[in-house]
Amino acid sequence: MKVVKFGGSSLANGEQFQKVINIIHADPARKLIVTSAPGKRFTGDTKVTDLLIKYAQTVIQQENYTAIMEQIWSRYQEIADYFAISQKLLLPLKTELKDLAVNTYSNTDYLMAAFKAHGEKINAQLLTIILQQQNISARFLDPQTAGLLVSDVANDAQVLDQTYLNLKQWQHVQDLLIVPGFYGVTHKGQIATFSRGGSDITGAIWARGLQAELYENFTDVNAIYAASPQIVKQPTAIKVMTYRELRELSYAGFSVFHDEALIPAIEGQIPINVKNTNHPNLPGTMIVPEQHFHPQNIITGVASSNHFAALYLHRYLLNKEVGFTLKLLQIFYQYNISYEHMPSGIDDLTVIFDKRQFTEKLRQQLCQEVKAVLKPDYLEWIDDYAIIMVVGEGMRNKIGVMNQITQPLAKNHVAIHMINQGASRISIMLGTKQADAAITVSQIYQQFFNH
Ligand code: ASP
């Protein structure tokens, strides 16, 4: 059997719903469907999840929420009208949306989580109603009944191991199961959501839980591309890639598939097929385990990301000083900061951070503390930092790849600030100035794909 997840743009209006229904019909192995909330119908449109966040904020601020609630409902009404669903069947869904404002919650974080989760919950119920109207024995299954348990972090929950035992009981159900993505319930029975885009995670959890033969992830692109189409014109579509290749590329900005969603799929060794709802006959991209994978190219993809910053420290004889790094890590721990990489030399060390975790004040405090405790000869905060990931299982046994990567960069006067080859030998990470990130990606792409 197959677990199938549809993204927000695949469920944004009646026409898109119809495509989804056709896809469900086309293959009887598609037994469990995961829904997102209705996404954007056109550029400039607002996702229902973002409207729900606004609704929650309006309620928290005790302001009049009728308009925003009605705006959200109109999205579902529009879909229901397309399929001529009666008001009687819709009334319970609208009541659920309205009641969000008067229900009680343990705190505002859980209030926010419950509001957000209803984007997918109402959409899953609506899809069930539409399918039932077409005489399909579809059944809506919520995470509470299913046993999809998550940790107690209201808006960034993690799945609990117990979930996998619970989900097994649904393996042999005859009905087509329709489940909402993006959230689970805590041990206390409260709704908690995954991070944004988390319906991908729900799909992977179900695929592992039911030991599906395939996890199909329907979105609005034909495939995962070897480089961002925003940087490279008509890049090559990746036909097959491994889990870890996608993990490394997601890290530097490949966003077609949520990086956290790979973990349950890896644990269950479930292959993933990313496909386009608008062109379901295209093969899309397969994401598979490493065993039996035969790379077709030296590199599979190249990506860049600008949300990094680096802290550079210089001190003579740093390599001989016992405990230097320990003290540094203690400071990060104290400030609750995680670091990404720490390339070092005999007298210097660079720490690369995801800079989205800093405020200006926190950054200053951290630098002060490092100066006070470690007394470096020189400390510099480098805000202008981009990371480029060059990834490919095909690099593992190949000599001279670094040369191929750096040659076109030298020709184009791109300075490389850092090079890091992962222990897996399937990725090479480069640090550049942000302004050089796009040219770095396009030059590396040309070197490996267009010759
Ligand atoms: N609707 C949620 C979001 O917009 C989750 C998802 O679409 O995957 O983040």
Side-chain angles (χ1 to χ4, degrees):
M1 62 86 71
K2 296 175 185 170
V3 166
V4 190
K5 178 253 166 178
F6 292 98
S9 56
S10 305
L11 291 163
N13 60 25
E15 262 170 48
Q16 292 301 93
F17 260 65
Q18 187 55 57
K19 290 181 191 167
V20 164
I21 294 168
N22 296 344
I23 291 168
I24 296 172
H25 276 306
D27 185 352
R30 294 178 172 138
K31 292 292 289 173
L32 184 129
I33 310 299
V34 179
T35 65
S36 282
K40 292 185 184 181
R41 294 160 292 184
F42 43 83
T43 10
D45 197 14
T46 311
K47 288 175 163 198
V48 163
T49 310
D50 291 310
L51 295 176
L52 283 159
I53 293 173
K54 208 166 143 201
Y55 180 19
Q57 285 161 345
T58 313
V59 171
I60 294 170
Q61 284 152 11
Q62 299 182 344
E63 285 165 11
N64 188 333
Y65 53 78
T66 314
I68 181 73
M69 194 279 293
E70 288 294 347
Q71 189 185 349
I72 296 167
W73 179 252
S74 70
R75 293 292 308 267
Y76 295 104
Q77 186 68 56
E78 180 193 319
I79 298 163
D81 288 346
Y82 187 93
F83 293 96
I85 304 293
S86 71
Q87 286 308 314
K88 189 171 154 252
L89 289 173
L90 293 177
L91 190 64
L93 306 192
K94 184 159 186 188
T95 309
E96 208 172 333
L97 182 66
K98 262 194 205 160
D99 284 351
L100 283 172
V102 292
N103 292 343
T104 50
Y105 306 90
S106 57
N107 60 40
T108 49
D109 288 343
Y110 280 102
L111 176 150
M112 181 56 85
F115 274 65
K116 271 162 45 192
H118 275 72
E120 343 296 284
K121 187 173 179 197
I122 296 175
N123 225 18
Q125 293 180 89
L126 183 55
L127 178 61
T128 310
I129 294 172
I130 296 168
L131 288 166
Q132 285 168 348
Q133 179 157 288
Q134 300 182 4
N135 291 324
I136 292 167
S137 49
R139 169 172 172 188
F140 168 73
L141 183 60
D142 70 12
Q144 175 85 52
T145 318
L148 202 163
L149 294 175
V150 295
S151 60
D152 275 308
V153 186
N155 292 284
D156 193 12
Q158 303 284 322
V159 65
L160 300 183
D161 281 344
Q162 173 67 32
T163 294
Y164 296 109
L165 293 173
N166 298 344
L167 298 190
K168 265 201 181 140
Q169 61 177 310
W170 302 99
Q171 226 165 6
H172 302 294
V173 173
Q174 285 307 308
D175 296 336
L176 174 69
L177 296 176
I178 313 293
V179 307
F182 193 35
Y183 72 99
V185 287
T186 66
H187 269 305
K188 289 185 197 134
Q190 309 201 78
I191 285 179
T193 73
F194 299 121
S195 53
R196 287 300 303 268
S199 296
D200 283 349
I201 305 176
T202 309
I205 292 169
W206 273 102
R208 178 183 159 189
L210 301 183
Q211 287 157 349
E213 65 187 89
L214 183 66
Y215 171 23
E216 290 181 308
N217 191 286
F218 278 90
T219 166
D220 54 8
V221 290
N222 287 343
I224 299 179
Y225 295 102
S228 163
Q230 272 141 22
I231 298 177
V232 173
K233 221 168 141 205
Q234 295 185 323
T236 307
I238 301 171
K239 289 195 184 75
V240 189
M241 68 196 303
T242 64
Y243 296 132
R244 57 181 184 180
E245 284 180 326
L246 184 56
R247 258 196 79 64
E248 306 251 3
L249 286 165
S250 304
Y251 177 74
F254 268 40
S255 59
V256 178
F257 189 73
H258 199 300
D259 61 344
E260 279 179 56
L262 277 165
I263 313 295
I266 294 171
E267 286 164 347
Q269 295 284 287
I270 317 286
I272 305 162
N273 192 187
V274 172
K275 292 186 69 133
N276 191 348
T277 300
N278 305 311
H279 301 285
N281 293 328
L282 292 177
T285 299
M286 285 294 299
I287 305 151
V288 300
E290 287 79 53
Q291 309 88 333
H292 318 300
F293 173 77
H294 303 290
Q296 301 298 311
N297 299 312
I298 300 173
I299 77 161
T300 298
V302 49
S304 68
S305 186
N306 278 346
H307 57 76
F308 293 98
L311 177 68
Y312 172 77
L313 298 173
H314 176 87
R315 181 156 137 176
Y316 286 114
L317 300 175
L318 187 146
N319 62 329
K320 299 236 163 90
E321 196 172 318
V322 175
F324 186 90
T325 326
L326 176 69
K327 286 182 209 153
L328 188 62
L329 292 179
Q330 265 162 348
I331 299 173
F332 300 161
Y333 183 69
Q334 187 190 324
Y335 283 85
N336 196 23
I337 285 164
S338 66
Y339 76 92
E340 306 293 315
H341 310 285
M342 204 186 292
S344 62
I346 44 171
D347 294 326
D348 22 31
L349 186 125
T350 309
V351 190
I352 296 154
F353 301 99
D354 182 334
K355 69 175 171 194
R356 293 172 296 191
Q357 61 187 325
F358 287 97
T359 57
E360 177 53 21
K361 192 163 159 231
L362 180 61
R363 186 192 71 77
Q364 279 177 14
Q365 280 173 340
L366 180 82
C367 291
Q368 282 309 325
E369 185 86 12
V370 171
K371 271 188 197 157
V373 176
L374 293 165
K375 307 197 171 44
D377 302 326
Y378 180 69
L379 176 153
E380 187 186 349
W381 180 267
I382 309 165
D383 209 46
D384 179 359
Y385 211 91
I387 281 193
I388 321 296
M389 295 291 288
V390 189
V391 177
E393 297 278 348
M395 283 175 9
R396 260 172 90 79
N397 302 313
K398 199 89 194 161
I399 292 170
V401 181
M402 190 61 87
N403 188 28
Q404 273 181 277
I405 293 175
T406 50
Q407 250 178 21
L409 302 185
K411 256 193 227 146
N412 285 279
H413 310 288
V414 171
I416 304 171
H417 297 312
M418 182 267 296
I419 300 182
N420 189 2
Q421 179 167 33
S424 65
R425 292 176 23 234
I426 67 150
S427 70
I428 291 175
M429 178 186 291
L430 308 173
T432 69
K433 271 183 183 294
Q434 287 174 2
D436 287 338
I439 177 135
T440 305
V441 168
S442 73
Q443 286 301 317
I444 295 174
Y445 177 86
Q446 303 302 340
Q447 176 79 340
F448 287 92
F449 289 94
N450 277 7
H451 40 239

